[in-house]
Amino acid sequence: MKINFEHHQTAHCENGVASNLLLNKGLKLSEPMIFGIGSGLFFVYLPFLKVNFAPGFSYRPMPGAIFSKAAKRLGIKIKRIKFSNPKEAQAALEKNLEQNIPTGLQVGVFNLTYFPEEYKFHFNAHNLVVYGKEDGKFLISDPVMDFATTLTEAELEKVRYAKGALAPKGHMYFPTHIPENVHLEEAIKKGIKDTCKNMLAPVPLIGVKAMRWVAKSIPKWADKKGTKVTNHYLGQLIRMQEEIGTGGGGFRFIYGAFLQEASVILKNEELKELSKEITAIGDLWRDFAVDIARVYKNRNSKSDIYNQLSKSMLHIADLEEAFYKKLRKAIR
């Protein structure tokens, strides 16, 4: 069983799976376009939720939300199924393959045998496509890799039933309907408005207010919890930013590319200028990550570093708030 399926590498797994699955059905949409229409830019801070013994930080919405929102706004229908029984999950997947349906899966990263060791950690919201089975092995298109690969039945079952937070529970999904005419203009506007609403939300748990809460907490962690715990928290912050789903910096670059495409489709020059602005903010996120990495590895020579990191993040939050306000006005 092997489906005629093109593997394309992308920056983020969920965007990549969505883009590759839709391309297989004849709808060509770039990764940035899916990310922007699906309102992928996000920030949430959950201090009461511990992940790897650190507060919950995320630069992305819940797994599946990007593709689901993009599909809804484009009139695409997706079928999603979870299975309590691994054997039923495998049988359903194989039935899809027999019917020439490439299928998206949510899996855990830690036991993916083709991942380099340094990238293996307990994160259960990774996405990939299964597009066939040969010689007892499933054919895998993982969009963050530059090559297609394979997993045995046992290996695939292990990652489909990884334990812990966001356990996949055999989750598989695939498009069942794509309209003949996709209305990109309206979908783009809805995606942008939703992103601005989320990032400018009045509650402190999400958006720029959440960024400010984290920024102001950094010196407090140092005072109350000490250097070791603070550095662990900061390490988790940049892992979520730079490793899990490309996060802070990478997402800003993808969104900049989306705004460039959107400016042409909507004939809106303001969006082109704003794409440069969010890209520059992405550079600041990357600089912020480098500074934290130096602290984490005890290579920092700056004094009063925790206050400086706090000020850097507050500055980024100010820039982002101004950006989303301008973006909201640009598409009214």
Side-chain angles (χ1 to χ4, degrees), residues 79-81 83 92-93 96 103-105 160 170-173:
K79 187 169 185 178
R80 295 181 178 274
I81 320 169
F83 304 86
L93 175 59
N96 265 16
T103 304
L105 301 184
R160 291 184 78 185
H171 182 193
M172 72 181 209
Y173 56 94

Side-chain angles (χ1 to χ4, degrees), residues 299-323:
R299 294 176 183 171
N300 169 66
S301 58
K302 297 178 182 177
S303 60
D304 200 26
I305 185 60
Y306 297 117
N307 279 315
Q308 289 187 47
L309 290 173
S310 175
K311 288 176 183 176
S312 294
M313 195 169 181
L314 285 170
H315 176 57
I316 291 171
D318 289 343
L319 293 176
E320 291 225 351
E321 182 176 31
F323 166 79

